[in-house]
Amino acid sequence: RKEVEQDPGPFNVPEGATVAFNCTYSNSASQSFFWYRQDCRKEPKLLMSVYSSGNEDGRFTAQLNRASQYISLLIRDSKLSDSATYLCVVNTRVGNQFYFGTGTSLTVIP
Amino acid sequence: NAGVTQTPKFRVLKTGQSMTLLCAQDMNHEYMYWYRQDPGMGLRLIHYSVGEGTTAKGEVPDGYNVSRLKKQNFLLGLESAAPSQTSVYFCASSYEAGGRGNTEAFFGQGTRLTVV
């Protein structure tokens, strides 16, 4: 079983739409959670950390449900510049290892 | 502030050749990682290091060796390249979260390797 599983998409949405990505993780000992963004042929970059209380950064909202081992990312008012692959990432603290989902592809259409 | 720097950016190897990928970080991070990224497979951990002089195997270590002689550098070696090692390689570094809450991984720009 993979450590982190995501729906690969692709998601094709019009500008201004709201889109949600989901991810599940298998290791209940996971301690830290993140969403990374990866543009085509570029390195992954941190979009936001995910906290149990939920957190928001502008148009982006992340939620964590530890009981269900489930992480979500909501993007409101999508922009063309949001087109990218979004990676769900968990960290186990043991060995400080990061486990990556395969990514969800988003294309925002004019 | 350079962050994490990988060299080279691109390389084409013939089957059986060897090469070394260099990763350098200037953030004084304890942890360093080598990943490979293939279509549909996501990022898979090859080897990692929890400090100077230490290395450990990740998910897909076969065919690769690593060394961390200095804290700021993490080298990935391919002794005898195979076409199955054609991939994009990313180096990353991270710090011990400790009391600082979440840590995060910082990535280099990647190395595109083709083995023919």
Side-chain angles (χ1 to χ4, degrees):
Chain A
R1 183 180 176 185
K2 289 184 180 179
E3 294 277 346
V4 180
E5 303 218 38
Q6 286 182 255
D7 179 351
F11 284 68
N12 299 312
V13 302
E15 271 187 290
T18 295
V19 61
F21 304 140
N22 304 314
C23 142
T24 58
Y25 60 95
S26 61
N27 188 345
S28 59
S30 299
Q31 294 292 323
S32 303
F33 309 88
F34 312 88
W35 285 99
Y36 274 69
R37 170 187 169 132
Q38 186 173 25
D39 293 294
C40 186
R41 303 177 75 84
K42 298 286 190 181
E43 74 273 24
K45 292 185 178 179
L46 180 67
L47 177 67
M48 58 197 304
S49 298
V50 188
Y51 301 105
S52 295
S53 55
N55 47 300
E56 186 173 309
D57 183 1
R59 298 180 294 108
F60 299 85
T61 301
Q63 296 278 353
L64 167 65
N65 184 321
R66 285 186 182 270
S68 301
Q69 296 181 198
Y70 172 93
I71 306 164
S72 66
L73 176 68
L74 185 75
I75 305 175
R76 293 180 300 278
D77 188 23
S78 298
K79 310 291 185 191
L80 296 176
S81 57
D82 294 334
S83 297
T85 296
Y86 290 83
L87 304 172
C88 178
V89 185
V90 304
N91 176 288
T92 63
R93 294 278 173 94
V94 176
N96 207 33
Q97 291 194 46
F98 294 84
Y99 296 92
F100 291 78
T102 53
T104 300
S105 174
L106 171 67
T107 300
V108 181
I109 303 164
Chain B
N1 188 354
V4 180
T5 303
Q6 288 180 235
T7 53
K9 300 277 191 298
F10 304 91
R11 186 71 186 268
V12 178
L13 284 180
K14 293 183 179 178
T15 298
Q17 286 186 318
S18 63
M19 77 164 293
T20 300
L21 282 68
L22 171 63
C23 178
Q25 54 97 2
D26 62 1
M27 296 174 283
N28 201 36
H29 286 170
E30 289 295 329
Y31 298 90
M32 296 188 75
Y33 315 84
W34 276 107
Y35 293 90
R36 61 177 289 174
Q37 187 174 36
D38 303 290
M41 302 291 290
L43 282 149
R44 293 183 292 169
L45 183 64
I46 304 171
H47 287 278
Y48 65 102
S49 169
V50 301
E52 181 179 321
T54 73
T55 64
K57 293 180 180 180
E59 180 186 357
V60 289
D62 293 342
Y64 306 95
N65 57 76
V66 288
S67 64
R68 185 132 179 239
L69 300 179
K70 295 182 179 180
K71 187 176 183 179
Q72 64 267 34
N73 295 336
F74 195 29
L75 279 64
L76 178 72
L78 284 73
E79 293 177 344
S80 179
S84 60
Q85 294 177 304
T86 293
S87 188
V88 180
Y89 292 85
F90 287 104
C91 175
S93 71
S94 184
Y95 53 85
E96 179 65 58
R100 288 178 282 179
N102 277 3
T103 180
E104 69 175 275
F106 296 80
F107 283 85
Q109 293 179 306
T111 297
R112 297 188 176 276
L113 175 66
T114 302
V115 183
V116 297

